[in-house]
């Protein structure tokens, strides 16, 4: 193992809070390690906005800005751990971006705030778990969020519902493909179908077309 490889391994073994302290001292490797560690969380928090009409790359970029802010501003003296602080910063950045966009144009994205969905593994249907969710955590920018989700899920095939669960948990297309033993193209097509159905409902509530 080379010196660089040993250093990378050492960084990966460090807790978040220690990496934050090193990053604040100007250690780029520590900062990059945290960014890699939390990239999936950024995807997870940004994807509900993408699902209802946002631009994926723009949202990821905004989320990453929130993450970097968290890395550089985290205070280990506070009771909350880094993950909690990072999630708050990422959410705030995403919400601010949506609010800013809302001042310029009207799209489903501009009417939305985060749609919170917990992880659903291959043995759990995202649609079957909606009734157990906290309504305050299931918001798409207007009343009846749970009904909206239920309506969306009624239009999804079993495969699409499973993909939605993995998708909202931040898995990449390739990771989802491996989880369901399908091709990446098949999974990507399912994501696009889900997006069309979600957007159609948010705009008009019309699911007459598949």
């Amino acid at each position: 193992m080379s010196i660089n490889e040993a250093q990378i391994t050492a960084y990966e073994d460090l807790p978040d809070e220690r990496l934050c302290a090193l990053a604040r001292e100007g250690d780029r490797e520590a900062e990059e390690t945290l960014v890699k560690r939390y990239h999936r969380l950024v995807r997870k928090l940004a994807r509900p906005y993408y699902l209802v009409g946002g631009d994926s790359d723009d949202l990821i970029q905004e989320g990453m800005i929130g993450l970097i802010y968290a890395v550089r501003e985290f205070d280990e003296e506070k009771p909350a751990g880094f993950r909690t602080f990072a999630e708050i910063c990422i959410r705030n950045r995403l919400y601010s971006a949506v609010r800013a966009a809302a001042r310029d144009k009207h799209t489903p994205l501009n009417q939305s705030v985060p749609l919170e969905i917990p992880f659903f593994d291959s043995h759990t249907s995202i649609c079957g778990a909606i009734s157990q969710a906290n309504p305050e955590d299931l918001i798409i920018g207007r009343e009846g969020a749970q009904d909206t989700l239920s309506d969306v899920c009624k239009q999804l095939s079993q495969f699409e519902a499973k993909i939605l669960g993995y998708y909202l948990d931040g898995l990449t297309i390739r990771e989802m493909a491996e989880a369901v033993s399908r091709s990446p193209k098949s999974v990507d097509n399912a994501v696009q179908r889900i997006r069309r159905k979600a957007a159609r409902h948010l705009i008009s509530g019309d699911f007459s077309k598949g």
Side-chain angles (χ1 to χ4, degrees):
M1 180 181 295
S2 68
I3 295 178
N4 287 340
E5 290 175 335
Q7 184 180 28
I8 292 173
T9 301
Y11 276 116
E12 291 177 347
D13 291 337
L14 291 176
D16 296 342
E17 291 72 17
R18 177 55 182 160
L19 289 171
C20 281
L22 291 172
R24 287 197 302 275
E25 295 171 0
D27 191 325
R28 286 292 303 278
E29 290 291 337
E31 184 173 272
E32 290 175 5
T33 299
L34 275 172
V35 168
K36 291 177 182 177
R37 186 176 294 179
Y38 280 87
H39 190 262
R40 177 172 168 179
L41 177 63
V42 171
R43 292 201 309 267
K44 178 178 179 178
L45 297 179
R47 279 182 167 175
Y49 292 111
Y50 173 67
L51 191 65
V52 295
D55 181 273
S56 181
D57 290 340
D58 288 348
L59 290 169
I60 292 295
Q61 183 177 2
E62 293 293 340
M64 293 304 293
I65 291 173
L67 174 60
I68 294 298
Y69 176 87
V71 171
R72 296 177 179 177
E73 300 297 326
F74 176 71
D75 183 357
E76 59 270 12
E77 299 297 324
K78 298 292 179 64
F82 174 75
R83 182 182 179 88
T84 298
F85 182 66
E87 186 168 338
I88 291 171
C89 292
I90 295 166
R91 289 182 189 279
N92 286 346
R93 184 71 191 193
L94 289 168
Y95 186 57
S96 295
V98 170
R99 291 285 297 274
R103 291 194 291 267
D104 300 325
K105 58 184 179 179
H106 300 285
T107 67
L109 172 64
N110 296 331
Q111 302 170 13
S112 65
V113 293
L115 164 62
E116 301 304 333
I117 300 292
F119 173 70
F120 296 90
D121 61 26
S122 58
H123 303 291
T124 307
S125 167
I126 184 171
C127 300
I130 288 177
S131 61
Q132 303 173 14
N134 182 347
E136 293 181 358
D137 294 331
L138 292 168
I139 305 174
I140 314 181
R142 64 191 194 189
E143 296 180 358
Q146 273 191 294
D147 290 340
T148 298
L149 275 178
S150 296
D151 288 341
V152 171
C153 287
K154 289 175 183 177
Q155 303 303 314
L156 301 182
S157 66
Q158 184 176 3
F159 175 65
E160 290 169 345
K162 183 180 294 187
I163 290 299
L164 179 58
Y166 284 125
Y167 181 79
L168 291 175
D169 197 49
L171 273 67
T172 64
I173 292 295
R174 185 170 298 278
E175 289 169 341
M176 288 187 283
E178 292 176 355
V180 298
S181 300
R182 297 284 192 92
S183 70
K185 180 64 175 177
S186 175
V187 169
D188 185 62
N189 287 340
V191 170
Q192 298 308 317
R193 289 196 301 272
I194 295 167
R195 287 196 75 205
R196 288 195 296 271
K197 291 175 181 180
R200 187 180 303 134
H201 182 75
L202 287 171
I203 293 171
S204 65
D206 176 20
F207 275 110
S208 60
K209 299 178 180 179

